[in-house]
Amino acid sequence: MTHPPYVDLPTLTGLVSLPAAIDALESALRAGWPGQDPLRTSVPVQSGEFLLMPSESPRYAGIKLITVAPGNPARGLPRIQGTYVLHDAASLTPLALFDAAALTTLRTPAISAVATRHLARPDATELVVAGTGPQALGHVHAMRAVRDIQRVGVLGRTPESTDTFIKTLVEIGISAYPAGADDVPQAHVLCLCTTARSPVVPDDWIGDRVHLNVVGSHEPTAREVETATVARSQVVVESRDAALAEAGDLVMALADGVPPSVIIADLAELVRGVTIDPAQVTLFKSVGTGWEDLAVAALAYELLS
């Protein structure tokens, strides 16, 4: 029996470019196959939890198994690890194994780029990103793939992490600077890519025509933006069911009295032509869904084959 190939991060990014991932996700939305995936299942274990995310398309089925071990950084290990298994939809034969973190590193910025392509002002040039990890870097590249971003402001947790991230951007030819209260209101696009459990950017820092990508959490008790920001935004989500169950930014805002109608569309509705008020803040809240992993994994597998 032939063993399924294993696809790590270098292999994945060698097969699927960020623009290709963006286009694959938008094509899936336009084609109509991304349905309502089962909500992410959490299974507690002694050292943390397992997270299970299945999905299927006409040709493929897949499941992501993520482990979250809060004690791992002290061991010198990643807090989040995992495996993704791609199957043939008809026979459920395993076709390929993927580093789940690699898939997440690629598909999360890509899905934010799909939203940004439809929500951000066409002349957007100023980006501010909160966070200094792989998702922050991925979002810088993703925003530059869909808008003519000229400068990147960085909001890091510490001056040291901010400086290191800025140096990384400058070394690859991107103009970057440490952002603060005076800089954020000038942003045309604001990406929040942190592990914070409470708002990282006060509402009074946020301008009136900005587009926000809020991607840092998928827990109902964690959020990166204040209720006031949600209340004045046109909100788009991947899935209403998933967002209302997992997105603390929205769960807590609704508990504070913001009406559910603040969610104007899901992504499928957005790419098919929902009308957006260009004078109002737009906010894409991502929690990550199984079909996104499946779309990128299927593309990689077909290129690998």
Side-chain angles (χ1 to χ4, degrees), residues 20 51 132 136 148 150 181 196 208 253 256 292 300:
L51 299 174
T132 56
D148 185 23
Q150 299 295 313
D208 294 329
D256 289 339
E292 298 162 10

Side-chain angles (χ1 to χ4, degrees), residues 114-127:
V114 172
T116 302
R117 180 184 274 168
H118 293 271
L119 294 172
R121 51 195 287 181
D123 62 347
T125 58
E126 297 290 324
L127 169 65

Side-chain angles (χ1 to χ4, degrees), residues 78 142 154 161 192 305:
V154 179
S161 62
L192 307 184
S305 302

Side-chain angles (χ1 to χ4, degrees), residues 8-264:
D8 58 12
L9 180 59
T11 304
L12 178 63
T13 54
L15 292 167
V16 181
S17 68
L18 181 55
I22 295 168
D23 290 343
L25 292 168
E26 179 148 352
S27 294
L29 288 162
R30 291 190 182 279
W33 69 255
Q36 291 291 326
D37 290 324
L39 294 179
R40 191 185 336 253
T41 300
S42 174
V43 181
V45 292
Q46 182 175 345
S47 298
E49 63 179 327
F50 289 112
L51 299 174
L52 308 176
M53 297 173 63
S55 186
E56 67 175 324
S57 73
R59 292 186 62 187
Y60 300 102
I63 186 165
K64 180 190 265 184
L65 170 60
I66 291 287
T67 62
V68 182
N72 269 7
R75 301 183 181 98
L77 296 171
R79 177 174 175 268
I80 298 175
Q81 302 175 89
T83 302
Y84 187 87
V85 186
L86 181 70
H87 302 256
D88 174 73
S91 66
L92 296 184
T93 300
L95 301 174
L97 304 177
F98 291 78
D99 177 344
L103 269 180
T104 302
T105 297
L106 179 58
R107 61 84 159 149
T108 302
I111 202 67
S112 291
V114 172
T116 302
R117 180 184 274 168
H118 293 271
L119 294 172
R121 51 195 287 181
D123 62 347
T125 58
E126 297 290 324
L127 169 65
V128 171
V129 58
T132 56
Q135 281 300 331
L137 181 58
H139 275 76
V140 170
H141 290 304
M143 299 305 101
R144 285 166 55 85
V146 295
R147 288 295 185 269
D148 185 23
I149 300 298
Q150 299 295 313
R151 296 197 312 156
V152 179
V154 179
L155 286 167
R157 188 170 57 86
T158 67
E160 293 77 16
S161 62
T162 300
D163 289 346
T164 298
F165 192 69
I166 288 171
K167 288 176 182 176
T168 297
L169 296 179
V170 170
E171 286 173 359
I172 56 178
I174 299 173
S175 177
Y177 63 94
D182 294 334
D183 305 297
V184 176
Q186 310 308 315
H188 302 145
V189 180
L190 175 59
C191 296
L192 307 184
C193 312
T194 75
T195 58
R197 302 193 65 83
S198 58
V200 295
V201 180
D203 181 63
D204 60 11
W205 286 19
I206 296 173
D208 294 329
R209 290 192 59 200
V210 69
H211 168 64
L212 290 88
N213 294 306
V214 182
V215 306
S217 70
H218 62 266
E219 299 174 61
T221 56
R223 61 176 170 179
E224 295 177 289
V225 294
E226 297 178 345
T227 292
T229 302
V230 175
R232 65 187 180 99
S233 297
Q234 302 167 97
V235 177
V236 174
V237 297
E238 294 140 318
S239 152
R240 286 178 173 84
D241 288 346
L244 294 175
E246 300 178 347
D249 302 87
L250 303 182
V251 170
M252 287 187 267
L254 267 59
D256 289 339
V258 176
S261 59
V262 73
I263 301 174
I264 64 166

